[in-house]
Amino acid sequence: MWIAGVDGCKAGWVVALAQVRGKRLGRLGVTICPTIRDVLNLSPRPRILAVDMPIGLLDRPQRGGRACDQAARRILARRASCVFTPPSRRILPATTYGPARREGLSRQAFHIMPKIREVDRVVTRRLQSRVFEAHPELAFARLAGRPMRFNKKTAAGRRERLRGITRATPDLSARIVKLLEAIMTTVPRRVLSPDDVLDAVVLALTAMRIGRHEALRVPEAPPRDRRGLRMEIWY
């Protein structure tokens, strides 16, 4: 079975595509896709995708965002700020910051609204049997048994997250390190950041857990938005 961890990046979407063999990850590769539709149509075709992007939106703004956003912040404690509040569906079409600011949306959330719109156009209730919203910081916290200590943009943060991945996948550790080093030295930062790659890889581990029915989600009984999409986060 092929699975994928998917994270947004400057060039589009970075995908960690892996083959699951029993309880292990087999082959692992990283690729960049310009659109989410390209991600869904990858070959080999991933059966399960864990995507770091909101799926399912509230009609109107709510303090703290969706129930899953609020629950994720409680788990992450000191790293709660990593979970931003997504836009409500009523301002999703906005292309200027004014409407978003009046709703209380952060600039970080506003800047990724094109990707949120892209995912929202594609994901359907039926497709949620294959595409799952996930969050890399929750995934790293589960690997380590605690939230990460350092910001992922720092060298200490990258080392901390890489240690978590390699401990969870000792059979892949050398390949993961070589893969990350190759990307860091060959791919321009304007296209892809090292933390994007680590996020995609840890999301692939979440996708593997989902496929093996070992993943967790918040909340346990997720509500649906008006399009019937479950509002949940897996890790």
Side-chain angles (χ1 to χ4, degrees):
M1 176 178 71
W2 287 88
I3 51 91
V6 185
D7 190 35
C9 67
K10 295 174 183 177
W13 301 87
V14 56
V15 184
L17 185 64
Q19 186 179 33
V20 177
R21 293 178 176 173
K23 293 188 175 182
R24 292 186 174 185
L25 286 181
R27 284 182 285 173
L28 172 68
V30 173
T31 189
I32 296 174
C33 293
T35 72
I36 197 69
R37 290 187 186 276
D38 293 320
V39 174
L40 295 173
N41 294 323
L42 275 171
S43 181
R45 184 176 185 268
R47 179 177 168 187
I48 295 172
L49 301 94
V51 183
D52 180 21
M53 200 57 60
I55 297 174
L57 300 171
L58 297 170
D59 279 346
R60 294 182 176 276
Q62 177 177 299
R63 185 177 179 83
R66 305 167 300 171
C68 56
D69 304 317
Q70 297 178 47
R73 292 190 195 102
R74 289 193 291 271
I75 293 170
L76 289 174
R78 63 176 174 267
R79 299 212 57 79
S81 61
C82 296
V83 182
F84 64 85
T85 297
S88 67
R89 192 170 290 284
R90 73 178 183 180
I91 67 155
L92 192 59
T95 56
T96 60
Y97 186 51
R101 183 181 62 233
R102 288 191 290 273
E103 186 169 291
L105 202 69
S106 69
R107 284 195 174 273
Q108 178 191 18
F110 172 72
H111 287 318
I112 67 166
M113 274 177 55
K115 282 188 166 56
I116 298 175
R117 286 194 294 267
E118 185 182 350
V119 170
D120 191 63
R121 285 194 294 266
V122 170
V123 176
T124 62
R125 183 169 178 168
R126 182 177 180 180
L127 195 57
Q128 273 194 301
S129 62
R130 182 184 172 211
V131 180
F132 299 83
E133 179 180 346
H135 198 288
E137 288 300 301
L138 282 178
F140 280 119
R142 184 171 180 188
L143 290 183
R146 55 163 176 75
M148 296 288 95
R149 291 192 175 96
F150 304 104
N151 188 298
K152 68 179 184 178
K153 299 291 185 182
T154 66
R158 290 193 292 271
R159 288 194 298 269
E160 181 182 32
R161 286 160 178 76
L162 185 57
R163 282 195 300 270
I165 291 172
T166 55
R167 280 197 300 266
T169 58
D171 52 321
L172 285 179
S173 58
R175 276 181 285 169
I176 290 174
V177 172
K178 288 181 180 179
L179 181 67
L180 182 58
E181 289 175 345
I183 291 170
M184 289 174 66
T185 56
T186 60
V187 180
R189 294 294 180 96
R190 67 178 182 274
V191 173
L192 183 66
S193 300
D195 55 277
D196 295 331
V197 181
L198 290 173
D199 284 351
V201 172
V202 80
L203 290 173
L205 297 180
T206 295
M208 180 175 69
R209 287 199 191 95
I210 292 171
R212 291 164 51 183
H213 306 288
E214 296 174 356
L216 303 175
R217 71 174 173 181
V218 289
E220 291 184 5
R224 294 181 182 269
D225 72 359
R226 66 177 170 85
R227 289 185 52 214
L229 300 175
R230 296 188 310 273
M231 293 183 285
E232 62 190 6
I233 301 177
W234 289 82
Y235 64 104

